[in-house]
């Protein structure tokens, strides 16, 4: 049976995965921008990406220990869907795009505040 902790881990994965994608886009934007001194910005963003990767690796360990396998994401106009199996049970974690966006922004702010 799928527990609430399992769904929470999947939600954390969704937020962290999308946070990494957003940070990567931000890095590309800085690299392609006309800022004359890019290194401090690039180093800062790379540090945030590295720390987000560390969190994601730890989360993958937890998911693996609980027998959770997340499949490929699906998007539509309003929602983001992550189908997953958990110890033989199938479920789909759905997040509304506006809720996901809010959570990603909160996660990025958290990464910046922690001063990693």
């Amino acid at each position: 049976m799928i527990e609430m902790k399992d769904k929470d881990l999947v939600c954390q994965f969704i937020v962290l995965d999308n946070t990494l994608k957003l940070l990567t886009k931000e890095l590309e934007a800085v690299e392609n921008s006309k800022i004359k001194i890019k290194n401090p910005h690039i180093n800062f963003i790379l540090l945030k990406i590295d720390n987000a990767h560390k969190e994601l690796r730890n989360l993958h360990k937890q998911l693996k220990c609980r027998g959770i396998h997340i499949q490929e994401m699906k998007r539509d106009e309003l929602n983001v869907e992550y189908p997953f199996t958990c110890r033989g049970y199938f479920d789909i974690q759905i997040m509304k795009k506006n809720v996901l966006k809010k959570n990603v922004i909160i996660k990025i702010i958290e990464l910046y505040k922690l001063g990693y």
Side-chain angles (χ1 to χ4, degrees):
M1 179 175 256
I2 297 173
E3 300 172 10
M4 199 63 187
K5 170 85 172 155
D6 302 326
K7 286 188 170 259
D8 288 344
L9 288 172
V10 173
C11 285
Q12 287 177 31
F13 173 83
I14 293 169
V15 170
L16 201 50
D17 184 47
N18 284 281
T19 300
L20 270 169
K21 289 175 185 172
L22 192 62
L23 285 171
T24 304
K25 284 182 184 178
E26 187 178 338
L27 179 64
E28 289 174 11
V30 170
E31 287 175 340
N32 295 330
S33 71
K34 295 181 180 182
I35 298 174
K36 294 187 182 201
I37 303 173
K38 296 180 184 179
N39 283 344
H41 301 291
I42 290 173
N43 291 340
F44 184 74
I45 296 170
L46 285 172
L47 188 60
K48 301 303 171 198
I49 289 173
D50 186 49
N51 287 301
H53 273 295
K54 287 178 188 173
E55 276 192 49
L56 194 59
R57 278 194 299 273
N58 289 335
L59 188 57
H60 272 291
K61 288 178 189 174
Q62 291 179 40
L63 291 169
K64 189 174 181 181
C65 287
R66 294 188 66 86
I68 300 171
H69 175 70
I70 299 174
Q71 299 164 7
E72 192 172 326
M73 169 193 67
K74 299 174 186 171
R75 289 181 185 262
D76 64 19
E77 289 291 316
L78 299 173
N79 301 320
V80 177
E81 296 181 2
Y82 279 79
F84 69 97
T85 53
C86 179
R87 297 182 295 279
Y89 294 95
F90 178 78
D91 201 353
I92 297 176
Q93 184 63 45
I94 299 173
M95 290 186 85
K96 296 214 174 286
K97 284 188 178 179
N98 59 347
V99 173
L100 177 61
K101 185 177 179 180
K102 183 179 91 173
N103 283 316
V104 166
I105 290 169
I106 290 169
K107 184 64 182 175
I108 288 175
I109 291 169
E110 181 184 306
L111 282 169
Y112 278 60
K113 279 186 180 177
L114 290 175
Y116 281 119

